[in-house]
Amino acid sequence: MIRFRARLALFAMMAIFLATASNALFMQDRARLFDPNGLPSTSVSVTQFPHDKASPIAPAVSGGGIQQVSLPAAKGPRMHVALYRELGQRGYSEQLRQGDNGLRLAVLAYQFDNAMPLTGEPTNELLKRVLFDPNHGPHGAFADRAELNAKLVIETQKALLGLGFFRGTFSGRLDVWTANAIKDFERHRGLPVTGRLTDQTLLELIAFSGQPMLPAAG
């Protein structure tokens, strides 16, 4: 009987020791994950994934699932790199892959999809807005969406008229006169000749005219 009680006491002491050690380890890890204010720490990640610094990854929806799309390495000021990353995560990887103007094209597409004045300029204010915007960009070609926006088409017609490329009326439709004016402008600026409101053509038109455009909401 005495031996049984001694063994029971020994097991109880071992259990208390193991519980104390486990709690100490847990509290140590928790201290690393939270700052003194009780907020999650940005210096430690609970789950670490392999990361390729030369090829940022952005999710793309295809066939009902999410695929990983490789993007060129982001360069420039920290604000530009952050905006590049956030827009890539929100479905604007198609624009970001278009060379040196990729970020500006993505900014332009985001501004259009959110009925903002179209400038194509990355700014701190835009980054703040994107950071708190959980929505993803619409699917499909930018030109298809832009040409359905009558207000944007009218502003394009006015800009082309002011530059001497347009001779028609402000119809709000991409009619033959508007398409031909866009083609003339694209030839003049050395752009691919499409006759459509592509993001590249619209960005060049805004930069060349020096005037932002405001699309209609929705």
Side-chain angles (χ1 to χ4, degrees):
M1 189 69 179
I2 296 177
R3 290 183 178 179
F4 175 75
R5 290 182 178 178
R7 289 179 181 177
L8 185 62
L10 179 61
F11 289 149
M13 292 177 63
M14 292 178 62
I16 294 173
F17 174 77
L18 291 174
T20 304
S22 299
N23 186 60
L25 291 175
F26 171 76
M27 294 303 294
Q28 182 178 6
D29 287 341
R30 188 179 186 278
R32 293 173 61 244
L33 296 174
F34 291 84
D35 62 22
N37 296 322
L39 299 175
S41 173
T42 58
S43 62
V44 179
S45 175
V46 176
T47 305
Q48 298 289 340
F49 294 97
H51 177 65
D52 182 2
K53 294 183 179 180
S55 301
I57 301 296
V61 178
S62 176
I66 296 180
Q67 296 179 344
Q68 296 298 317
V69 178
S70 295
L71 295 175
K75 300 178 181 178
R78 292 180 61 183
M79 183 270 291
H80 287 196
V81 173
L83 189 55
Y84 182 101
R85 179 187 65 248
E86 296 299 326
L87 289 175
Q89 293 175 353
R90 283 158 179 77
Y92 294 95
S93 56
E94 179 183 352
Q95 283 79 20
L96 293 172
R97 290 196 298 266
Q98 297 185 41
D100 295 338
N101 267 343
L103 178 58
R104 296 187 65 201
L105 292 172
V107 168
L108 182 77
Y110 179 85
Q111 291 172 331
F112 171 78
D113 292 330
N114 290 273
M116 301 169 63
L118 305 184
T119 64
E121 293 297 330
T123 63
N124 284 311
E125 289 72 19
L126 182 67
L127 175 59
K128 292 176 183 177
R129 173 169 179 148
V130 175
L131 285 172
F132 290 97
D133 183 3
N135 299 317
H136 285 258
H139 301 298
F142 174 86
D144 292 338
R145 305 196 303 275
E147 290 165 7
L148 291 176
N149 194 299
K151 188 174 187 299
L152 179 60
V153 175
I154 290 176
E155 295 222 352
T156 299
Q157 292 168 335
K158 290 180 178 179
L160 290 169
L161 177 65
L163 296 173
F165 293 99
F166 184 61
R167 296 291 184 273
T169 59
F170 301 147
S171 63
R173 301 187 306 274
L174 197 76
D175 50 34
V176 63
W177 294 279
T178 306
N180 288 336
I182 292 175
K183 289 179 181 178
D184 290 340
F185 174 77
E186 289 172 332
R187 293 189 189 97
H188 178 71
R189 301 303 299 168
L191 301 174
V193 179
T194 66
R196 302 198 63 189
L197 274 184
T198 65
D199 45 10
Q200 186 176 5
T201 298
L202 193 57
L203 180 64
E204 184 68 19
L205 181 59
I206 292 170
F208 191 65
S209 65
Q211 296 295 327
M213 298 183 183
L214 182 62

